[in-house]
Amino acid sequence: TGRVTKQTMDKVDSISGMIDYAFLHPNVTDQQLIRGCELAKQFKVATVCIKPYHVKMAADLLKGSSVGVCAVIGFPHGNSSTAIKVLETEEVIKNGATEVDMVVNVGKVLGLAWDYVETEIDAIVKVTRKHNVLLKVIFENGYLQDTHKIQLTQICNKLNVDYIKTSTGFGFVVGSDGKYTSTGATDHDLMLMKKYCSNKVNIKAAGGIKSLDDLLRVKALGVSRVGATSLESILDAARKRYVTNAKL
């Protein structure tokens, strides 16, 4: 007969500790966030990832726990001016954010306006570093070519951002059939980002991480944080795989 060891439980905890539990859909209610924060504390996830207006509420709900508050900036399309992104960053930090996920200006990236892109990211870096807050820079890879992704990674290396992130999960592209799809975190993009990022820059996968196997697959590619909404099913699967098997 097997037994549940600390090592077994550590496997489950290491998985939950990779997750930014996301509440970013337009239709998320306060009641859903309250329940989500309770689950986040119960499962000891890395952060709850939320829209700016929810930061104060989440910070209050998570006070005294190990769970961080991750706020999105310029979300989901990155279209705000740099000044507004800076203001938004300052406000969410004031309200209790411990991490910030900022969307780059995709149009400027596609237009190869690299000075603009770098200056904007640097402006956010200055704010987050001043307050000892982690910064993740969202590329929105579904709109980009590999050359854009490589250049963005190199800019983020230069600016020593904490994380580079694949996508928002809301970067919908119109297909030839007229339907909208979002590619999310692909293995190709994760391998490319890993190849070019410095050893000081971490990678977050977001978009399409729905199962334990998805999470373990991207972890094997060098990802240290994931954005996910399917928290309970991922961790239920982890407990069944590691804890139940240990009991057999």
Side-chain angles (χ1 to χ4, degrees):
T1 305
R3 62 194 180 87
V4 179
T5 63
K6 181 180 183 299
Q7 189 176 20
T8 304
M9 291 309 299
D10 283 348
K11 280 186 180 178
V12 178
D13 288 345
S14 71
I15 288 166
S16 60
M18 285 180 65
I19 297 173
D20 288 343
Y21 190 19
F23 289 86
L24 299 171
H25 280 275
N27 58 352
V28 171
T29 65
D30 291 356
Q31 288 71 30
Q32 287 171 318
L33 181 66
I34 290 166
R35 179 177 181 273
C37 286
E38 287 306 312
L39 285 174
K41 287 190 286 187
Q42 179 186 330
F43 292 123
K44 297 186 176 76
V45 299
T47 73
V48 168
C49 191
I50 51 176
K51 294 171 279 190
Y53 79 91
H54 265 153
V55 168
K56 199 159 192 168
M57 176 186 283
D60 288 341
L61 291 166
L62 296 169
K63 196 171 182 179
S65 77
S66 62
V67 181
V69 178
C70 175
V72 291
I73 298 299
F75 194 90
H77 301 308
N79 293 333
S80 303
S81 68
T82 299
I84 293 300
K85 286 181 179 176
V86 167
L87 191 65
E88 199 172 25
T89 303
E90 288 171 342
E91 184 186 78
V92 296
I93 293 171
K94 180 183 173 185
N95 287 339
T98 56
E99 301 187 9
V100 165
D101 285 19
M102 164 224 174
V103 188
V104 298
N105 186 311
V106 178
K108 290 292 189 182
V109 171
L110 292 172
L112 309 181
W114 296 118
D115 285 347
Y116 182 101
V117 173
E118 181 175 333
T119 299
E120 179 171 90
I121 296 170
D122 188 42
I124 307 299
V125 167
K126 284 181 168 65
V127 178
T128 55
R129 195 161 289 154
K130 177 183 174 185
H131 296 283
N132 200 28
V133 165
L134 287 181
L135 174 64
K136 308 188 201 88
V137 176
I138 306 174
F139 289 6
E140 203 63 290
N141 284 334
Y143 295 131
L144 310 179
Q145 300 299 317
D146 284 0
T147 51
H148 302 124
K149 300 163 198 170
I150 292 167
Q151 184 67 26
L152 274 173
T153 301
Q154 290 171 337
I155 287 171
C156 289
N157 288 342
K158 178 182 174 184
L159 297 176
N160 286 316
V161 306
D162 300 291
Y163 283 83
I164 51 178
K165 177 177 169 181
T166 55
S167 39
T168 62
F170 296 88
F172 295 104
V173 179
V174 185
S176 55
D177 59 358
K179 293 182 178 177
Y180 287 86
T181 56
S182 175
T183 54
T186 66
D187 290 4
H188 169 82
D189 286 345
L190 292 169
M191 288 188 281
L192 187 75
M193 292 163 81
K194 183 65 178 175
K195 179 179 178 181
Y196 286 93
C197 76
S198 79
N199 57 13
K200 293 180 181 177
V201 177
N202 299 291
I203 300 172
K204 175 176 173 179
I209 311 299
K210 298 184 183 303
S211 69
L212 175 62
D213 287 334
D214 289 336
L215 185 149
L216 294 174
R217 188 186 77 251
V218 299
K219 183 183 180 187
L221 295 175
V223 167
S224 54
R225 196 75 72 85
V226 300
T229 56
S230 309
L231 177 67
E232 290 176 278
S233 61
I234 290 172
L235 293 179
D236 282 348
R239 281 195 299 273
K240 283 174 186 168
R241 185 172 302 184
Y242 301 121
V243 179
T244 306
N245 286 348
K247 291 176 180 175
L248 298 177

